[in-house]
Amino acid sequence: MKNSKRMHLASAFLVQFFFTAFYTIPQVYNLYIAEDFGLGLAEIGTLVMLQSLPSTIIPLLLGRAADKFGKKQMIVGGLVLYIVGGLMMVVAKTVGFYTAGLLINAVGIAMGYGSNGPAIADNFPDKAGRYISWIEASGCVAQTLVPLIAVAIGVTWRPMYLMVSVLAVIPMLIICFVRIPKYSSADPANTGSNSRAKITLSLIILSFAMLFYCGMDATYASFVDAFFVDQRNIATHGSIALTLHGALYAVSRFLTGLIKKGEKTVIRICLAVSAASLGMILLIQNPDIDLIFCAIFSFFAAPVYPLYLAQAARDYPENSAEASSLLMAGSGIGCAVMAWAVGFVGESAGMTAAMIMLIVSGVFSLLCYIISEAMGKKQKA
Protein backbone atom coordinates (compact mmCIF):
# COMPACT_ATOMS: atom_id res chain seq x y z
CA MET A 1 0.00 0.00 0.00
CA LYS A 2 2.77 2.43 0.93
CA ASN A 3 4.64 1.72 -2.31
CA SER A 4 1.45 2.28 -4.30
CA LYS A 5 0.93 5.64 -2.60
CA ARG A 6 4.51 6.68 -3.26
CA MET A 7 4.12 5.70 -6.91
CA HIS A 8 0.89 7.68 -7.03
CA LEU A 9 2.64 10.79 -5.72
CA ALA A 10 5.50 10.34 -8.19
CA SER A 11 3.13 9.94 -11.14
CA ALA A 12 1.05 12.95 -10.03
CA PHE A 13 4.16 15.14 -9.88
CA LEU A 14 5.26 14.00 -13.36
CA VAL A 15 1.79 14.44 -14.87
CA GLN A 16 1.65 18.00 -13.59
CA PHE A 17 5.21 18.66 -14.78
CA PHE A 18 4.59 17.57 -18.38
CA PHE A 19 1.13 19.14 -18.65
CA THR A 20 2.49 22.49 -17.46
CA ALA A 21 5.57 22.22 -19.67
CA PHE A 22 3.31 21.83 -22.69
CA TYR A 23 1.34 24.94 -21.79
CA THR A 24 4.56 26.87 -21.18
CA ILE A 25 6.06 26.18 -24.61
CA PRO A 26 3.73 28.54 -26.52
CA GLN A 27 4.30 31.22 -23.87
CA VAL A 28 7.97 31.17 -24.86
CA TYR A 29 7.57 30.47 -28.58
CA ASN A 30 4.31 32.26 -29.48
CA LEU A 31 6.07 34.81 -31.69
CA TYR A 32 8.04 32.07 -33.49
CA ILE A 33 4.94 29.92 -33.98
CA ALA A 34 3.18 32.99 -35.39
CA GLU A 35 6.08 33.56 -37.78
CA ASP A 36 6.14 29.93 -38.95
CA PHE A 37 2.42 29.92 -39.74
CA GLY A 38 2.02 33.61 -40.70
CA LEU A 39 -0.24 34.55 -37.77
CA GLY A 40 -0.96 37.87 -36.04
CA LEU A 41 -1.29 38.61 -32.33
CA ALA A 42 -5.07 38.22 -32.40
CA GLU A 43 -4.75 34.81 -34.09
CA ILE A 44 -2.23 33.69 -31.48
CA GLY A 45 -4.76 34.79 -28.85
CA THR A 46 -7.32 32.59 -30.59
CA LEU A 47 -4.95 29.59 -30.42
CA VAL A 48 -4.43 30.21 -26.70
CA MET A 49 -8.20 30.39 -26.30
CA LEU A 50 -8.68 27.10 -28.18
CA GLN A 51 -6.03 25.44 -26.02
CA SER A 52 -7.93 26.54 -22.91
CA LEU A 53 -11.39 25.65 -24.24
CA PRO A 54 -11.36 21.88 -23.45
CA SER A 55 -10.49 22.61 -19.82
CA THR A 56 -13.80 24.47 -19.70
CA ILE A 57 -15.96 21.68 -21.10
CA ILE A 58 -14.23 18.37 -20.31
CA PRO A 59 -14.20 18.63 -16.49
CA LEU A 60 -17.94 19.32 -16.44
CA LEU A 61 -18.60 16.32 -18.72
CA LEU A 62 -16.27 13.89 -17.00
CA GLY A 63 -16.05 15.09 -13.39
CA ARG A 64 -19.01 12.98 -12.24
CA ALA A 65 -17.82 10.04 -14.37
CA ALA A 66 -14.38 10.18 -12.75
CA ASP A 67 -15.97 9.94 -9.29
CA LYS A 68 -18.17 7.02 -10.40
CA PHE A 69 -15.86 4.93 -12.61
CA GLY A 70 -12.39 5.89 -11.42
CA LYS A 71 -9.93 8.75 -11.72
CA LYS A 72 -7.07 6.44 -12.75
CA GLN A 73 -8.78 5.65 -16.05
CA MET A 74 -9.28 9.33 -16.76
CA ILE A 75 -5.63 10.15 -16.09
CA VAL A 76 -4.31 7.34 -18.32
CA GLY A 77 -6.75 8.19 -21.12
CA GLY A 78 -5.79 11.84 -20.84
CA LEU A 79 -2.10 11.02 -21.18
CA VAL A 80 -2.74 8.99 -24.33
CA LEU A 81 -4.53 11.93 -25.98
CA TYR A 82 -1.86 14.31 -24.70
CA ILE A 83 0.89 12.32 -26.43
CA VAL A 84 -1.02 11.84 -29.71
CA GLY A 85 -1.98 15.53 -29.94
CA GLY A 86 1.54 16.67 -29.09
CA LEU A 87 3.08 14.53 -31.82
CA MET A 88 0.57 15.92 -34.33
CA MET A 89 1.72 19.45 -33.46
CA VAL A 90 5.35 18.43 -33.91
CA VAL A 91 4.82 17.28 -37.50
CA ALA A 92 2.25 19.96 -38.44
CA LYS A 93 2.91 21.73 -41.73
CA THR A 94 -0.27 23.81 -41.71
CA VAL A 95 -1.96 25.82 -38.98
CA GLY A 96 -5.08 23.64 -39.39
CA PHE A 97 -3.23 20.42 -38.55
CA TYR A 98 -1.39 22.21 -35.73
CA THR A 99 -4.73 23.37 -34.29
CA ALA A 100 -6.20 19.86 -34.52
CA GLY A 101 -3.26 18.46 -32.58
CA LEU A 102 -3.50 21.31 -30.08
CA LEU A 103 -7.18 20.52 -29.41
CA ILE A 104 -6.55 16.76 -28.99
CA ASN A 105 -3.67 17.50 -26.66
CA ALA A 106 -5.74 20.01 -24.70
CA VAL A 107 -8.58 17.47 -24.30
CA GLY A 108 -6.05 15.00 -22.91
CA ILE A 109 -4.68 17.57 -20.47
CA ALA A 110 -8.21 18.46 -19.33
CA MET A 111 -9.04 14.77 -18.77
CA GLY A 112 -5.84 14.00 -16.89
CA TYR A 113 -5.52 17.21 -14.94
CA GLY A 114 -9.18 17.16 -13.95
CA SER A 115 -8.60 13.90 -12.04
CA ASN A 116 -4.98 14.34 -10.94
CA GLY A 117 -5.60 16.65 -7.97
CA PRO A 118 -8.88 15.03 -6.84
CA ALA A 119 -7.19 11.61 -6.92
CA ILE A 120 -4.53 12.92 -4.56
CA ALA A 121 -7.23 14.36 -2.30
CA ASP A 122 -8.93 10.95 -2.22
CA ASN A 123 -5.74 9.02 -1.48
CA PHE A 124 -4.34 11.60 0.99
CA PRO A 125 -7.38 13.40 2.46
CA ASP A 126 -5.51 14.64 5.53
CA LYS A 127 -2.70 16.15 3.44
CA ALA A 128 -4.65 17.25 0.35
CA GLY A 129 -3.72 20.94 0.57
CA ARG A 130 -0.03 20.20 1.08
CA TYR A 131 0.34 17.66 -1.72
CA ILE A 132 -1.79 19.57 -4.23
CA SER A 133 0.31 22.69 -3.60
CA TRP A 134 3.53 20.71 -4.07
CA ILE A 135 2.20 19.05 -7.21
CA GLU A 136 1.37 22.49 -8.58
CA ALA A 137 4.91 23.50 -7.62
CA SER A 138 6.27 20.75 -9.89
CA GLY A 139 4.43 22.45 -12.73
CA CYS A 140 6.16 25.67 -11.76
CA VAL A 141 9.51 23.91 -12.12
CA ALA A 142 8.46 23.13 -15.69
CA GLN A 143 7.58 26.79 -16.23
CA THR A 144 11.08 27.68 -15.10
CA LEU A 145 12.94 25.05 -17.12
CA VAL A 146 11.24 25.59 -20.49
CA PRO A 147 12.45 29.21 -20.96
CA LEU A 148 15.91 28.28 -19.64
CA ILE A 149 16.22 25.38 -22.08
CA ALA A 150 15.01 27.60 -24.90
CA VAL A 151 17.69 30.19 -24.16
CA ALA A 152 20.50 27.79 -23.19
CA ILE A 153 20.41 25.33 -26.08
CA GLY A 154 18.48 27.33 -28.64
CA VAL A 155 16.01 24.61 -29.65
CA THR A 156 12.90 25.53 -31.63
CA TRP A 157 9.36 24.82 -30.54
CA ARG A 158 9.03 21.52 -32.43
CA PRO A 159 11.82 19.65 -30.53
CA MET A 160 10.42 21.03 -27.27
CA TYR A 161 6.95 19.67 -28.04
CA LEU A 162 8.48 16.33 -29.09
CA MET A 163 10.44 15.98 -25.86
CA VAL A 164 7.56 16.68 -23.46
CA SER A 165 5.19 14.48 -25.50
CA VAL A 166 7.39 11.38 -25.61
CA LEU A 167 8.58 11.59 -22.00
CA ALA A 168 4.96 11.62 -20.78
CA VAL A 169 4.97 7.86 -21.37
CA ILE A 170 6.82 7.56 -18.03
CA PRO A 171 3.99 8.74 -15.70
CA MET A 172 1.46 6.85 -17.85
CA LEU A 173 3.29 3.57 -17.17
CA ILE A 174 3.77 4.33 -13.48
CA ILE A 175 0.11 5.10 -12.82
CA CYS A 176 -0.96 1.78 -14.36
CA PHE A 177 0.47 0.11 -11.23
CA VAL A 178 -1.14 2.54 -8.77
CA ARG A 179 -4.26 1.90 -6.69
CA ILE A 180 -6.52 4.97 -6.45
CA PRO A 181 -9.76 4.77 -4.42
CA LYS A 182 -12.94 5.87 -6.17
CA TYR A 183 -13.96 7.96 -3.17
CA SER A 184 -12.06 9.80 -0.50
CA SER A 185 -11.39 7.98 2.75
CA ALA A 186 -12.79 11.15 4.32
CA ASP A 187 -16.21 9.91 3.13
CA PRO A 188 -17.27 7.61 5.99
CA ALA A 189 -19.71 5.66 3.85
CA ASN A 190 -17.20 5.53 1.01
CA THR A 191 -20.02 5.44 -1.51
CA GLY A 192 -20.33 8.97 -2.80
CA SER A 193 -24.08 8.83 -2.35
CA ASN A 194 -26.18 12.01 -2.40
CA SER A 195 -23.18 13.93 -3.72
CA ARG A 196 -25.16 16.04 -6.17
CA ALA A 197 -27.27 17.53 -3.40
CA LYS A 198 -24.14 18.86 -1.73
CA ILE A 199 -23.05 21.14 -4.60
CA THR A 200 -23.86 24.56 -3.18
CA LEU A 201 -24.21 28.11 -4.43
CA SER A 202 -21.09 28.93 -2.43
CA LEU A 203 -19.10 26.46 -4.56
CA ILE A 204 -20.53 27.92 -7.77
CA ILE A 205 -19.46 31.42 -6.74
CA LEU A 206 -16.04 30.00 -5.83
CA SER A 207 -15.81 28.72 -9.42
CA PHE A 208 -16.36 32.32 -10.58
CA ALA A 209 -13.54 33.39 -8.27
CA MET A 210 -11.37 30.79 -10.03
CA LEU A 211 -12.56 32.09 -13.42
CA PHE A 212 -11.45 35.65 -12.72
CA TYR A 213 -8.23 34.52 -11.04
CA CYS A 214 -7.16 32.44 -14.05
CA GLY A 215 -8.29 35.24 -16.34
CA MET A 216 -5.62 37.34 -14.65
CA ASP A 217 -2.92 34.76 -13.93
CA ALA A 218 -2.79 32.49 -17.00
CA THR A 219 -3.29 35.37 -19.43
CA TYR A 220 -0.42 37.27 -17.83
CA ALA A 221 1.92 34.35 -18.58
CA SER A 222 0.74 34.15 -22.20
CA PHE A 223 1.19 37.85 -22.97
CA VAL A 224 3.89 39.22 -20.67
CA ASP A 225 6.44 38.78 -23.46
CA ALA A 226 4.23 40.76 -25.86
CA PHE A 227 3.79 43.45 -23.18
CA PHE A 228 7.53 44.10 -22.92
CA VAL A 229 7.93 44.14 -26.70
CA ASP A 230 4.92 46.40 -27.28
CA GLN A 231 5.25 48.79 -24.33
CA ARG A 232 8.95 48.76 -23.43
CA ASN A 233 10.59 47.77 -26.74
CA ILE A 234 12.67 45.15 -24.94
CA ALA A 235 12.41 41.53 -26.05
CA THR A 236 14.68 39.94 -23.43
CA HIS A 237 12.69 41.12 -20.39
CA GLY A 238 9.73 38.95 -21.39
CA SER A 239 11.83 35.77 -21.14
CA ILE A 240 13.26 36.95 -17.81
CA ALA A 241 9.75 37.62 -16.48
CA LEU A 242 8.63 34.13 -17.53
CA THR A 243 11.66 32.51 -15.90
CA LEU A 244 10.97 34.45 -12.69
CA HIS A 245 7.32 33.46 -12.99
CA GLY A 246 8.07 29.75 -12.98
CA ALA A 247 10.82 29.90 -10.34
CA LEU A 248 8.83 32.02 -7.89
CA TYR A 249 5.70 29.94 -8.50
CA ALA A 250 7.67 26.84 -7.49
CA VAL A 251 9.01 28.47 -4.31
CA SER A 252 5.67 30.05 -3.39
CA ARG A 253 3.64 26.88 -3.91
CA PHE A 254 6.16 24.81 -1.97
CA LEU A 255 5.79 27.24 0.93
CA THR A 256 2.00 27.13 0.52
CA GLY A 257 2.15 23.39 1.19
CA LEU A 258 3.59 24.15 4.62
CA ILE A 259 0.64 26.33 5.65
CA LYS A 260 -1.39 24.66 8.38
CA LYS A 261 -3.98 27.36 9.07
CA GLY A 262 -5.10 30.75 7.84
CA GLU A 263 -5.45 29.63 4.20
CA LYS A 264 -8.46 31.88 3.61
CA THR A 265 -6.55 34.94 4.77
CA VAL A 266 -3.62 33.95 2.55
CA ILE A 267 -5.94 33.83 -0.48
CA ARG A 268 -7.27 37.35 0.19
CA ILE A 269 -3.80 38.84 0.68
CA CYS A 270 -2.38 37.12 -2.40
CA LEU A 271 -5.18 38.30 -4.71
CA ALA A 272 -4.93 41.89 -3.45
CA VAL A 273 -1.13 42.07 -3.82
CA SER A 274 -1.23 40.40 -7.26
CA ALA A 275 -3.65 42.95 -8.70
CA ALA A 276 -1.75 45.83 -7.06
CA SER A 277 1.61 44.70 -8.48
CA LEU A 278 0.21 44.73 -12.03
CA GLY A 279 -1.04 48.24 -11.38
CA MET A 280 2.43 49.33 -10.26
CA ILE A 281 3.90 48.03 -13.53
CA LEU A 282 1.61 50.39 -15.43
CA LEU A 283 2.29 53.34 -13.11
CA ILE A 284 6.10 53.21 -12.87
CA GLN A 285 6.91 52.34 -16.50
CA ASN A 286 10.53 51.41 -15.89
CA PRO A 287 11.56 48.08 -17.53
CA ASP A 288 13.91 46.99 -14.74
CA ILE A 289 11.51 47.93 -11.95
CA ASP A 290 8.77 46.28 -13.98
CA LEU A 291 10.61 42.99 -13.48
CA ILE A 292 10.56 43.49 -9.70
CA PHE A 293 6.79 43.86 -9.73
CA CYS A 294 6.50 40.94 -12.15
CA ALA A 295 8.33 38.89 -9.53
CA ILE A 296 6.01 40.14 -6.78
CA PHE A 297 3.00 39.26 -8.93
CA SER A 298 4.29 35.74 -9.58
CA PHE A 299 5.06 35.02 -5.92
CA PHE A 300 1.69 36.20 -4.61
CA ALA A 301 -0.45 34.86 -7.45
CA ALA A 302 0.95 31.33 -7.09
CA PRO A 303 -0.82 30.09 -3.93
CA VAL A 304 -4.37 30.95 -5.00
CA TYR A 305 -5.01 28.15 -7.51
CA PRO A 306 -4.00 25.16 -5.33
CA LEU A 307 -5.72 26.67 -2.29
CA TYR A 308 -8.96 27.06 -4.27
CA LEU A 309 -8.75 23.44 -5.48
CA ALA A 310 -7.82 22.03 -2.08
CA GLN A 311 -10.72 23.87 -0.46
CA ALA A 312 -13.20 22.40 -2.94
CA ALA A 313 -11.77 18.87 -2.58
CA ARG A 314 -11.87 19.02 1.23
CA ASP A 315 -15.38 20.49 1.41
CA TYR A 316 -16.82 17.82 -0.93
CA PRO A 317 -14.97 14.55 -0.12
CA GLU A 318 -17.68 12.28 -1.56
CA ASN A 319 -17.46 13.88 -5.00
CA SER A 320 -14.09 15.61 -5.10
CA ALA A 321 -13.72 15.36 -8.88
CA GLU A 322 -17.19 16.79 -9.53
CA ALA A 323 -16.59 19.67 -7.12
CA SER A 324 -13.13 20.33 -8.55
CA SER A 325 -14.54 20.16 -12.07
CA LEU A 326 -16.64 23.27 -11.44
CA LEU A 327 -13.52 25.19 -10.46
CA MET A 328 -11.58 23.82 -13.42
CA ALA A 329 -14.40 24.81 -15.74
CA GLY A 330 -14.18 28.30 -14.32
CA SER A 331 -10.43 28.20 -14.85
CA GLY A 332 -10.87 27.17 -18.48
CA ILE A 333 -13.47 29.85 -19.17
CA GLY A 334 -11.26 32.50 -17.60
CA CYS A 335 -8.23 31.42 -19.61
CA ALA A 336 -10.14 31.11 -22.89
CA VAL A 337 -12.16 34.32 -22.73
CA MET A 338 -9.36 36.50 -21.39
CA ALA A 339 -6.79 35.09 -23.84
CA TRP A 340 -9.04 36.01 -26.76
CA ALA A 341 -9.99 39.38 -25.25
CA VAL A 342 -6.41 40.36 -24.36
CA GLY A 343 -5.16 39.32 -27.79
CA PHE A 344 -7.87 41.40 -29.46
CA VAL A 345 -7.50 44.43 -27.16
CA GLY A 346 -3.71 44.23 -27.22
CA GLU A 347 -3.65 44.36 -31.01
CA SER A 348 -6.26 47.11 -31.36
CA ALA A 349 -5.68 49.31 -28.29
CA GLY A 350 -2.25 48.30 -26.99
CA MET A 351 -1.00 46.13 -24.14
CA THR A 352 -1.59 48.81 -21.48
CA ALA A 353 -5.35 48.44 -21.98
CA ALA A 354 -4.93 44.67 -21.91
CA MET A 355 -3.03 44.86 -18.62
CA ILE A 356 -5.85 46.90 -17.07
CA MET A 357 -8.19 44.03 -17.95
CA LEU A 358 -5.99 41.64 -15.94
CA ILE A 359 -6.08 43.95 -12.91
CA VAL A 360 -9.88 44.15 -13.01
CA SER A 361 -10.07 40.37 -13.31
CA GLY A 362 -7.94 39.94 -10.18
CA VAL A 363 -10.13 42.33 -8.20
CA PHE A 364 -13.27 40.45 -9.29
CA SER A 365 -11.71 37.17 -8.13
CA LEU A 366 -11.17 38.62 -4.66
CA LEU A 367 -14.74 39.93 -4.47
CA CYS A 368 -16.19 36.57 -5.59
CA TYR A 369 -14.11 34.74 -3.00
CA ILE A 370 -15.30 37.01 -0.19
CA ILE A 371 -18.92 36.50 -1.28
CA SER A 372 -18.43 32.72 -1.53
CA GLU A 373 -17.01 32.55 1.99
CA ALA A 374 -19.86 34.64 3.38
CA MET A 375 -22.46 32.41 1.72
CA GLY A 376 -20.65 29.29 2.89
CA LYS A 377 -20.90 30.45 6.50
CA LYS A 378 -24.63 31.11 6.11
CA GLN A 379 -25.21 27.68 4.58
CA LYS A 380 -23.41 25.98 7.48
CA ALA A 381 -25.29 28.00 10.09
Side-chain angles (χ1 to χ4, degrees):
M1 175 68 78
K2 287 185 178 179
N3 286 336
S4 178
K5 284 195 169 186
R6 291 192 187 102
M7 291 172 67
H8 184 195
L9 274 177
S11 67
F13 276 100
L14 289 172
V15 166
Q16 181 69 21
F17 181 90
F18 288 119
F19 283 178
T20 307
F22 211 97
Y23 270 121
T24 305
I25 291 172
Q27 293 171 7
V28 178
Y29 290 101
N30 262 338
L31 298 179
Y32 299 98
I33 295 171
E35 184 178 344
D36 284 355
F37 292 115
L39 307 176
L41 187 61
E43 291 165 311
I44 284 294
T46 300
L47 285 178
V48 175
M49 178 192 71
L50 290 175
Q51 190 175 33
S52 303
L53 196 59
S55 64
T56 304
I57 302 170
I58 299 300
L60 291 176
L61 296 177
L62 299 181
R64 180 62 178 168
D67 283 322
K68 187 174 183 179
F69 301 110
K71 301 174 182 71
K72 176 178 175 178
Q73 290 82 348
M74 294 296 174
I75 296 170
V76 173
L79 284 166
V80 170
L81 293 178
Y82 166 91
I83 294 168
V84 171
L87 294 177
M88 288 176 63
M89 295 167 71
V90 170
V91 300
K93 301 297 182 184
T94 65
V95 68
F97 196 77
Y98 176 90
T99 303
L102 179 145
L103 287 171
I104 292 172
N105 174 273
V107 168
I109 290 177
M111 283 181 61
Y113 184 73
S115 292
N116 198 37
I120 288 294
D122 288 351
N123 226 355
F124 306 90
D126 56 332
K127 298 180 179 178
R130 171 174 297 184
Y131 287 153
I132 289 175
S133 292
W134 287 353
I135 287 167
E136 292 290 334
S138 72
C140 303
V141 173
Q143 282 184 306
T144 305
L145 289 179
V146 168
L148 289 177
I149 292 172
V151 173
I153 63 178
V155 295
T156 62
W157 58 272
R158 292 182 193 271
M160 291 292 288
Y161 275 140
L162 178 63
M163 179 172 62
V164 298
S165 297
V166 172
L167 290 177
V169 172
I170 297 172
M172 185 174 67
L173 293 177
I174 292 175
I175 203 167
C176 288
F177 299 95
V178 170
R179 180 186 175 277
I180 301 175
K182 284 187 178 180
Y183 305 111
S184 171
S185 57
D187 175 11
N190 204 34
T191 61
S193 59
N194 299 323
S195 59
R196 286 185 180 276
K198 296 182 180 180
I199 298 298
T200 64
L201 183 59
S202 174
L203 179 65
I204 294 173
I205 296 175
L206 183 62
S207 72
F208 276 93
M210 179 70 94
L211 182 155
F212 288 116
Y213 162 75
C214 288
M216 172 187 67
D217 177 68
T219 311
Y220 163 86
S222 296
F223 288 94
V224 66
D225 189 46
F227 172 80
F228 276 105
V229 172
D230 179 69
Q231 294 296 307
R232 305 294 186 256
N233 294 315
I234 300 177
T236 56
H237 277 46
S239 296
I240 295 172
L242 278 175
T243 301
L244 288 171
H245 191 64
L248 291 170
Y249 251 53
V251 173
S252 183
R253 285 183 173 172
F254 175 80
L255 295 175
T256 301
L258 302 177
I259 295 174
K260 295 182 179 179
K261 61 181 180 179
E263 294 179 352
K264 296 175 181 179
T265 301
V266 170
I267 290 174
R268 293 188 181 96
I269 293 172
C270 287
L271 286 170
V273 174
S274 297
S277 62
L278 293 181
M280 293 303 294
I281 292 173
L282 294 182
L283 288 173
I284 293 179
Q285 299 185 6
N286 180 294
D288 295 328
I289 297 179
D290 284 347
L291 286 177
I292 295 175
F293 283 104
C294 284
I296 293 172
F297 169 84
S298 298
F299 185 83
F300 281 92
V304 178
Y305 189 90
L307 290 179
Y308 275 169
L309 283 182
Q311 181 171 324
R314 281 196 305 265
D315 289 349
Y316 301 87
E318 304 93 335
N319 53 329
S320 56
E322 186 178 13
S324 297
S325 72
L326 288 175
L327 269 67
M328 292 177 186
S331 169
I333 293 171
C335 292
V337 172
M338 285 295 287
W340 175 83
V342 167
F344 178 80
V345 171
E347 188 167 349
S348 59
M351 290 303 299
T352 295
M355 187 71 78
I356 292 173
M357 294 172 62
L358 302 189
I359 297 170
V360 172
S361 191
V363 172
F364 279 6
S365 179
L366 177 58
L367 293 175
C368 286
Y369 182 71
I370 292 172
I371 294 170
S372 172
E373 283 301 299
M375 295 193 69
K377 289 179 181 179
K378 288 184 179 180
Q379 289 164 357
K380 290 177 182 178

